[in-house]
Amino acid sequence: QVQLVESGGGLVQAGGSLRLSCAASRTISSMNTMGWYRQAPGKQREWVASITSGGTIYYADSVKGRFTISRGNAKNTVFLQMNSLKSEDTAVYYCNLQGLGGSTWGQGTQVTVSS
């Protein structure tokens, strides 16, 4: 079973930037969607952004214009560039893979934005 490993979280001041990375442990199917979700304390997990294997990109309204999702050349990695961070972006960020084998989640990486 494929595993997803996230990295890049941390503590940043409001207005700052962070770049999250997610790498799959092995080659994944050519038909897939990779995305980022987040869960703030006391709240449900929410979708942030997705990118399909064909390159179509979707963003939640709350991050549109500030976050950029992209894939690496190896296609089994996905990145989330987060700019103009706000305190409300504080959450654990999870990488997700939707493929022929079903849905896979990473372990999550903490992002904390101080105001």
Side-chain angles (χ1 to χ4, degrees), residues 18-82:
L18 282 174
R19 186 174 189 246
L20 305 183
S21 301
C22 172
S25 59
R26 59 172 176 80
T27 302
I28 56 180
S29 63
S30 58
M31 299 288 290
N32 64 77
T33 296
M34 297 190 79
W36 290 93
Y37 290 71
R38 66 187 181 185
Q39 188 166 17
K43 295 187 177 182
Q44 290 190 332
R45 189 173 299 187
E46 65 174 359
W47 167 73
V48 174
S50 296
I51 182 167
T52 69
S53 49
T56 303
I57 291 173
Y58 304 91
Y59 295 104
D61 288 343
S62 59
V63 306
K64 202 171 294 183
R66 300 188 297 121
F67 290 11
T68 302
I69 190 170
S70 62
R71 284 190 185 248
N73 291 332
K75 303 300 182 185
N76 65 338
T77 55
V78 65
F79 306 100
L80 187 68
Q81 177 66 42
M82 305 186 294

Side-chain angles (χ1 to χ4, degrees), residues 76-109:
N76 65 338
T77 55
V78 65
F79 306 100
L80 187 68
Q81 177 66 42
M82 305 186 294
N83 298 329
S84 302
L85 283 161
K86 306 175 182 179
S87 57
E88 51 262 45
D89 294 318
T90 294
V92 178
Y93 283 71
Y94 296 90
C95 179
N96 176 262
L97 167 66
Q98 296 279 351
L100 296 178
S103 180
T104 302
W105 293 92
Q107 83 286 354
T109 185

